[in-house]
Amino acid sequence: FLNGFWLPVITSLFSILVSGIIISWYYKTNREEQQMKLAFTDGLTEIPNRRYFDEFMTKQWQKYEQKQQNLAIILCDVDFFKKYNDTYGHQAGDLCLQQVAKVLAESVRDSDLAARYGGEEFVTVLANTSPDAAMAIAQRICDRLKSLKIPHASSEASEYVSISCGIASTSVSLVHSPKELVECADQALYQAKEQGRDRAVLWAEK
């Protein structure tokens, strides 16, 4: 006995108190992690969203500046997606975007990023990747999507749902910031569309 209390009782009460604190901390941490995950995940495709891409890109750029390793991005746009929606309906359009997102996610390494950029646009960030390797990955994305043979009767590029890709790399001397890298990829994507879509184009200095 200590001050009128039996020691085993005090020990049990202390254990219950500590357990309560640990459980409370666990659920609070888990809830915060879930909220963070929701904030950075696209609700439709369940891949990272534009907000996550912006933060990921900033971190990768910092690593690139420290190690001077190639950093590449692929900006993708589903060909004639508005016509797809008009032809098959928005529910089918949502399913199509989910399939595109899955193709992108399965075409990159775990250390890379595949994210929804906005609307029918997607983006991948490829760390320590040469321009030729990035081009090969972009072509793999195009081929894998076409292999699903999702009908697209109103497309002017293919009988199936296809995608256009613009690739940019830090190997280009004009690129000095993440924003400029995205702009170069966007220009390459524009070239892909001008050339008939359903293809990948690597941006190069003129």
Side-chain angles (χ1 to χ4, degrees), residues 185-202:
D186 191 47
Q187 291 176 30
L189 176 59
Y190 177 79
Q191 293 174 25
K193 292 179 180 180
E194 286 291 295
Q195 294 174 19
R197 306 184 190 236
D198 186 22
R199 68 194 65 222
V201 171
L202 175 65

Side-chain angles (χ1 to χ4, degrees), residues 139-169:
Q139 191 58 56
R140 182 163 68 221
I141 291 170
C142 293
D143 293 343
R144 285 186 175 182
L145 181 60
K146 288 284 289 294
S147 71
L148 296 180
K149 295 184 178 181
I150 306 170
H152 192 347
S154 53
S155 173
E156 298 173 27
S158 169
E159 61 180 316
Y160 303 117
V161 170
S162 59
I163 199 166
S164 297
C165 301
I167 307 108
S169 169

Side-chain angles (χ1 to χ4, degrees), residues 31-198:
R31 183 170 61 251
E32 290 175 349
E33 289 178 352
Q34 289 296 323
Q35 291 174 343
M36 185 68 70
K37 183 178 180 181
L38 289 173
F40 286 123
T41 302
D42 179 64
L44 175 64
T45 62
E46 296 185 350
I47 63 173
N49 57 19
R50 173 69 176 274
R51 179 181 175 186
Y52 187 86
F53 161 75
D54 290 337
E55 293 200 9
F56 185 86
M57 188 66 180
T58 299
K59 292 178 181 178
Q60 290 300 316
W61 188 267
Q62 291 171 349
K63 291 181 181 179
Y64 154 72
E65 290 184 319
Q66 292 171 358
K67 300 180 180 179
Q68 289 300 301
Q69 295 176 335
N70 277 332
L71 179 65
I73 68 168
I74 305 172
L75 196 58
C76 311
D77 187 273
V78 182
D79 297 328
F80 300 105
F81 185 70
K82 183 179 183 304
K83 290 186 176 182
Y84 186 89
N85 270 337
D86 293 341
T87 303
Y88 300 99
H90 290 280
Q91 188 172 358
D94 287 348
L95 179 59
C96 175
L97 292 178
Q98 291 171 346
Q99 291 173 295
V100 172
K102 184 178 180 181
V103 167
L104 263 73
E106 293 177 348
S107 298
V108 299
R109 300 165 299 187
D110 292 340
S111 58
D112 298 326
L113 172 72
R116 189 178 182 188
Y117 196 69
E120 68 271 22
E121 284 192 323
F122 295 83
V123 64
T124 66
V125 182
L126 311 171
N128 194 22
T129 303
S130 69
D132 288 342
M135 183 68 178
I137 292 171
Q139 191 58 56
R140 182 163 68 221
I141 291 170
C142 293
D143 293 343
R144 285 186 175 182
L145 181 60
K146 288 284 289 294
S147 71
L148 296 180
K149 295 184 178 181
I150 306 170
H152 192 347
S154 53
S155 173
E156 298 173 27
S158 169
E159 61 180 316
Y160 303 117
V161 170
S162 59
I163 199 166
S164 297
C165 301
I167 307 108
S169 169
T170 52
S171 62
V172 178
S173 62
L174 293 180
V175 176
H176 302 294
S177 69
K179 181 180 178 181
E180 290 180 357
L181 189 62
V182 173
E183 289 173 351
C184 289
D186 191 47
Q187 291 176 30
L189 176 59
Y190 177 79
Q191 293 174 25
K193 292 179 180 180
E194 286 291 295
Q195 294 174 19
R197 306 184 190 236
D198 186 22

